[in-house]
Amino acid sequence: MLTLDKLQQTGKKATRDGFGAGLKAAGDKHDNIIMLTADLRGSMKSEDFINAYPDRFIQCGISEANMMGVAAGLATAGKIPMTTTFANFSTGRVYDQIRQSIAYSDKNVKICASHAGLTLGEDGATHQILEDIGMMRMLPGMTVINPCDYNQTKAAVQAIAEHHGPVYLRFGRPSWPIFIPEGQKFEIGKALHLNEGSDVSIFATGHLVWYAVEAARQLEKEGISVDLINIHTIKPLDEAAVIASAKKTGAVVSCEEHNKYGGLGSAIAECLSKNQPTRQEFVATDDTFGESGTAEQLLDKYGLGIKDIVAAAKKVVAAKRS
C-alpha cells in the first residue's frame, strides 16, 4: 500500500501531457485506435500519436457534434475512436449526440476531455465546466474517469483502450505535481488507497488529490489520522472501498474540482446513505460558475484549497466527537 511518505512530488506536468503519452502508448498496441479532434491537436498534446500514425487521425474542425457522430460510426465499424476537445465542448455542447448516438447503443467511444474545471484558468467561466461529471455519470453505461496526475492519466488512457464501452475521461490544462509512482496499476472502478487512517476518510479525485495529500500531511501533524483514498473512477464507484473506509472512520470528506451537485461527493453520499450513513463534508464549488484567474487563485477563492480540505476534515471530526 502507498503511504504519505511515499507520495512525493517527482516533477510537474499537465495531466493533458499524460493523455498524449498514454494515447501514443495505446496506439502502439491497438492499431484500431482512431484519434479525432475538434481543431485542438496541439492543446491535446497528441502530436506524438499523429506523427506516428497520421492515417489514424481525423481533424473534424470546430464541429464537435459532428465529431461525436463520426466517432459513433467508427465504433460501429470496429474501431476505437478517441474524441478530443475541451471538457465543456466534450459534454455541454454535444450532450444530445453522446446520449443518442453513443451511450444509448453502448458504442465503444472514448470521450477524452481536457481543460476541465477551474484550473483551466484565464479562459474563464464559459470554458470552465463544473457540471460535466454529473452530466456524464447520469448516462446509462457511461464510465467516468478523472485521474490525478501525469502518470495516472497516462495509465488511464491505456486502460480505457482495453475497456469495451463508452468512457468519459476528464483531465486538465495546468502543470501539476507528479506523485503517483510510474507503473502504478490502474484498474477501472477500483479506488487507490493512498494512506491508512482511522479518524477521517478523505476521498479525492482529479487535481484535488494532490491537495488532499498535502492536507493529510498537515492533519497528521496535528494528530488527526487520515484514511486517504484516490477515487479516479467516479462511475462505476468503488462502493466497497467507500463503505469500508466510512465504517472505519465515521467521518467523510469528498474533494473535487466540480459542482457540489452531481459529482464525486454526490456519488459517495448516495452510496453511504444506503449502506453506511456517515457525516460528510463537501469540498467542491458551491453551485456557481467560475471566472478568470490563475488555477491557484481560483481554487483558493472557490474553497478548493488545501486549507479548505483541512477545515472540512476538522469540522467533520469535531462533529463526530461531539
Side-chain angles (χ1 to χ4, degrees):
M1 181 187 292
L2 294 168
T3 63
L4 290 178
D5 289 341
K6 294 178 181 178
L7 297 172
Q8 301 297 326
Q9 181 177 335
T10 59
K12 290 186 77 173
K13 280 188 178 180
T15 49
R16 59 176 170 149
D17 287 303
F19 168 75
L23 177 64
K24 173 59 167 58
D28 291 343
K29 184 175 181 180
H30 301 277
D31 61 10
N32 58 341
I33 287 179
I34 307 293
M35 179 204 164
L36 304 88
T37 196
D39 203 32
L40 287 171
R41 57 186 284 176
S43 294
M44 302 302 297
K45 303 298 183 181
S46 53
E47 293 301 325
D48 286 347
F49 177 89
I50 294 169
N51 290 335
Y53 307 112
D55 58 335
R56 289 156 56 189
F57 168 64
I58 300 175
Q59 174 58 267
C60 294
I62 305 174
S63 181
E64 293 87 355
N66 179 59
M67 179 173 66
M68 294 300 169
V70 172
L74 289 168
T76 300
K79 303 300 183 182
I80 305 175
M82 295 196 176
T83 67
T84 63
T85 185
F86 294 169
N88 193 25
F89 308 142
S90 291
T91 55
R93 179 169 289 180
V94 295
Y95 199 69
D96 178 59
Q97 285 72 26
I98 292 172
R99 183 185 187 276
Q100 301 298 98
S101 299
I102 295 173
Y104 178 63
S105 50
D106 196 40
K107 294 287 196 306
N108 193 30
V109 175
K110 317 306 177 186
I111 302 165
C112 305
S114 185
H115 293 57
L118 291 172
T119 50
L120 170 59
E122 290 82 354
D123 285 2
T126 56
H127 286 47
Q128 293 163 342
I129 194 160
L130 297 165
E131 316 90 57
D132 54 319
I133 292 173
M135 294 169 66
M136 300 307 280
R137 59 179 286 259
M138 283 191 293
L139 289 170
M142 181 68 68
T143 295
V144 180
I145 298 174
N146 187 31
C148 65
D149 74 349
Y150 172 92
N151 286 338
Q152 192 169 81
T153 308
K154 180 180 178 181
V157 179
Q158 295 172 80
I160 68 173
E162 302 284 348
H163 172 83
H164 185 84
V167 175
Y168 179 62
L169 179 67
R170 182 193 211 240
F171 45 99
R173 176 187 192 181
S175 180
W176 205 253
I178 301 170
F179 59 99
I180 297 297
E182 188 174 6
Q184 175 70 44
K185 183 179 180 181
F186 186 96
E187 187 175 348
I188 294 173
K190 186 70 174 177
L192 182 61
H193 214 135
L194 301 181
N195 192 66
E196 190 78 34
S198 58
D199 292 328
V200 62
S201 302
I202 298 181
F203 299 101
T205 191
H207 288 135
L208 289 202
V209 176
W210 175 247
Y211 275 13
V213 169
E214 293 290 84
R217 295 193 215 278
Q218 182 174 328
L219 289 163
E220 296 262 339
K221 289 178 182 177
E222 297 181 35
I224 298 175
S225 177
V226 177
D227 206 44
L228 179 59
I229 298 178
N230 168 208
I231 304 289
H232 52 65
T233 307
I234 299 171
K235 182 185 176 187
L237 182 68
D238 188 347
E239 293 196 348
V242 171
I243 294 165
S245 181
K247 186 175 182 179
K248 176 171 58 174
T249 67
V252 165
V253 176
S254 56
C255 310
E256 59 192 311
E257 189 185 346
H258 187 271
N259 198 324
K260 66 181 181 181
Y261 299 120
L264 173 64
S266 292
I268 289 171
E270 290 160 14
C271 170
L272 294 179
S273 68
K274 293 183 296 181
N275 300 286
Q276 183 69 33
T278 309
R279 296 179 185 274
Q280 180 176 346
E281 287 293 318
F282 297 75
V283 175
T285 57
D286 190 14
D287 196 26
T288 184
F289 293 102
E291 62 182 288
S292 296
T294 68
E296 291 76 12
Q297 287 171 336
L298 294 170
L299 291 174
D300 183 64
K301 177 173 180 177
Y302 285 85
L304 308 185
I306 296 169
K307 70 179 188 304
D308 300 295
I309 299 173
V310 169
K314 289 181 177 179
K315 181 179 179 180
V316 76
V317 169
K320 175 183 72 169
R321 292 173 176 172
S322 62

